[in-house]
Amino acid sequence: MFFKILAFIALISVVIFIHEYGHYYFARKYGVKVTRFLIFGLPFLGLDKELFGWTDKNGTRWSIGFFPLGGFVDIFGSRDYLLTKEEIEKKYNSEDHKYLLQSKKIYQKILFAFGGPLANFLTAIIIYSMISMFVGKDFTPAIISEVMENSPAKEAGLMPNDQIIKIDNTKIDSISNVSRMILITVSETIKIDVMRNGNQKSFIVSPKYIPDDSLDIKSKRKKRIIGITIKPKGEFIVKKLGPVDAIYYSIKETLYVCKWTSVHIWHLILGKGDVNNLTGPIGIAKVTGEIVERGLLPFLLFIAFISISLGFINLLPIPILDGGHIMFFCFEKILGRPIKRKTQELLYRIGFALLMTMMFFAIYIDVQTF
């Protein structure tokens, strides 16, 4: 149990540090003074207390907090973020003015906000690329070896020796892609394209749900199946890729995760999603503990997945998240001035309340599910 907790803390600390370092990088690049860099803490509710830390030559306080989740970069003048241009000029002298984010160009502000998610996406791309280059990428054809009786696949007309080439118009280039595509799709039916005796055929399959026993943890989660078994004819085909191909497939994988994350979020908003398949901090902790026992490679892949998820969620246009800041900066560019202070204050309160509601809801689902 202690080892699993350490694995979870390691995963969260790495992903959050990378995210916050992305903000730190662009702040330093454009001359914004960073006053504090905290890991394990939040900038509200008194959760920013420091266990230990140090101050570098640039005046940045690097801190380790006591709260096992979160992190943030604090910049000079962040407490006066909603001041008008006139109020900023009155409060800060000309020397201090150049260290403020408020004094920077719009594109620099946007890059500062986008820096965290960008760092998460780049981390995932690097992990995927390194694995493809040094371990290899699976290109084993997805050939059906068995179709279960009375299964959705049988009813749809799928047969043994069919080679699956597309699922919902997404190209299938390896065996592992099949189960993943079936698991994450949210529509009631799935379009499966196969090659049969040299001819391409399409089938519409309606998956069914069964208890998810893929991990050795008790939960109420369910997974989608169509009732097929896929085995390679001979050995697995694993190829080590060159840098260009590795980066190409890594970017493709990152965009794929972002795409299906957005689809799931949209279905949840519409009330069509299955909330039992949501995962909060408790669920991530449990899954991390199980995955780390499977070895370093699955753990690295999980880090990449969580990193993409964190980056994508932070880009949602919710005030208080990075996407909310980017939204405000875009409005500032369009209007030629920042949004009025009262409007921003109201939207930040709504965003904070929404974020807290989402967090507590995820924890509630975790408690009910696991």
Side-chain angles (χ1 to χ4, degrees):
M1 177 60 73
F2 181 69
F3 177 71
K4 292 180 179 181
I5 294 173
L6 284 180
F8 172 67
I9 292 174
L11 181 145
I12 293 299
S13 59
V14 167
V15 171
I16 290 178
F17 177 84
I18 289 168
H19 180 93
E20 297 303 331
Y21 193 85
H23 293 307
Y24 173 84
Y25 171 82
F26 281 104
R28 296 282 299 149
K29 179 178 176 63
Y30 296 124
V32 177
K33 185 176 181 180
V34 179
T35 57
R36 193 180 186 194
F37 191 120
L38 174 71
I39 295 296
F40 295 142
L42 296 170
F44 43 76
L45 301 177
L47 299 176
D48 60 348
K49 300 295 188 296
E50 178 184 295
L51 285 177
F52 62 91
W54 65 95
T55 303
D56 65 19
K57 63 181 181 179
N58 298 310
T60 302
R61 182 68 179 175
W62 297 79
S63 305
I64 305 296
F66 69 93
F67 188 64
L69 297 173
F72 65 90
V73 166
D74 207 359
I75 58 175
F76 182 61
S78 62
R79 300 296 183 259
D80 297 324
Y81 186 74
L82 298 178
L83 292 183
T84 64
K85 184 177 181 181
E86 293 73 19
E87 290 171 328
I88 289 173
E89 291 177 350
K90 183 181 295 185
K91 182 171 182 176
Y92 295 96
N93 58 42
S94 58
E95 180 65 23
D96 289 339
H97 191 265
K98 66 182 182 181
Y99 295 122
L100 294 167
L101 180 64
Q102 295 92 318
S103 67
K104 305 304 175 182
K105 296 178 179 178
I106 296 295
Y107 82 89
Q108 294 173 334
K109 295 178 182 180
I110 290 175
L111 283 174
F112 168 74
F114 184 62
L118 177 62
N120 288 133
F121 298 146
L122 289 176
T123 298
I125 290 170
I126 290 171
I127 290 174
Y128 290 141
S129 297
M130 292 297 102
I131 291 173
S132 294
M133 287 190 289
F134 296 105
V135 178
K137 178 174 174 55
D138 180 29
F139 287 100
T140 308
I143 299 176
I144 299 174
S145 61
E146 182 183 2
V147 179
M148 309 301 178
E149 292 295 331
N150 302 317
S151 66
K154 186 76 171 181
E155 294 174 1
L158 291 171
M159 299 174 61
N161 296 319
D162 285 347
Q163 180 181 340
I164 299 176
I165 56 174
K166 288 182 181 180
I167 296 180
D168 281 344
N169 297 318
T170 298
K171 184 179 178 182
I172 301 299
D173 52 24
S174 72
I175 283 179
S176 59
N177 288 348
V178 175
S179 59
R180 183 179 66 173
M181 279 295 300
I182 294 171
L183 287 172
I184 68 174
T185 52
V186 291
S187 58
E188 294 182 0
T189 59
I190 300 174
K191 180 186 176 186
I192 298 181
D193 294 330
V194 304
M195 289 297 294
R196 179 184 295 173
N197 299 324
N199 299 313
Q200 182 172 332
K201 294 181 177 292
S202 298
F203 300 90
I204 302 298
V205 185
S206 300
K208 68 178 181 180
Y209 288 87
I210 64 170
D212 187 357
D213 57 357
S214 58
L215 294 172
D216 296 328
I217 51 179
K218 294 180 179 180
S219 77
K220 298 178 182 178
R221 293 181 180 276
K222 294 182 178 180
K223 63 181 180 181
R224 291 155 61 95
I225 65 164
I226 63 172
I228 60 174
T229 302
I230 299 179
K231 293 181 180 179
K233 287 193 172 181
E235 297 182 352
F236 283 93
I237 301 174
V238 179
K239 298 179 181 179
K240 292 183 180 180
L241 304 179
V244 175
D245 286 338
I247 292 172
Y248 166 76
Y249 281 106
S250 299
I251 293 174
K252 184 178 178 181
E253 178 71 13
T254 301
L255 293 174
Y256 174 85
V257 175
C258 289
K259 171 188 173 182
W260 288 108
T261 301
S262 65
V263 170
H264 276 271
I265 291 174
W266 181 243
H267 274 75
L268 287 171
I269 292 173
L270 296 178
K272 298 179 180 179
D274 185 1
V275 296
N276 288 321
N277 285 329
L278 289 176
T279 301
I282 298 174
I284 293 174
K286 286 183 173 290
V287 172
T288 302
E290 295 297 328
I291 288 178
V292 75
E293 291 182 346
R294 299 184 178 186
L296 178 60
L297 186 59
F299 185 55
L300 288 175
L301 289 171
F302 192 56
I303 289 177
F305 175 77
I306 294 297
S307 190
I308 296 170
S309 299
L310 176 65
F312 184 85
I313 293 298
N314 266 278
L315 283 178
L316 295 178
I318 299 175
I320 207 172
L321 295 180
D322 297 329
H325 292 303
I326 292 173
M327 178 179 65
F328 285 140
F329 295 146
C330 290
F331 280 134
E332 184 177 343
K333 179 65 175 178
I334 295 170
L335 298 174
R337 58 169 177 79
I339 295 177
K340 292 181 179 180
R341 184 192 302 181
K342 288 185 177 180
T343 303
Q344 288 198 48
E345 287 177 343
L346 175 62
L347 291 174
Y348 275 123
R349 289 193 182 99
I350 294 173
F352 178 76
L354 180 60
L355 190 63
M356 290 297 100
T357 301
M358 291 168 59
M359 186 175 73
F360 285 119
F361 181 68
I363 293 173
Y364 172 77
I365 293 297
D366 278 347
V367 172
Q368 295 294 315
T369 302
F370 293 99

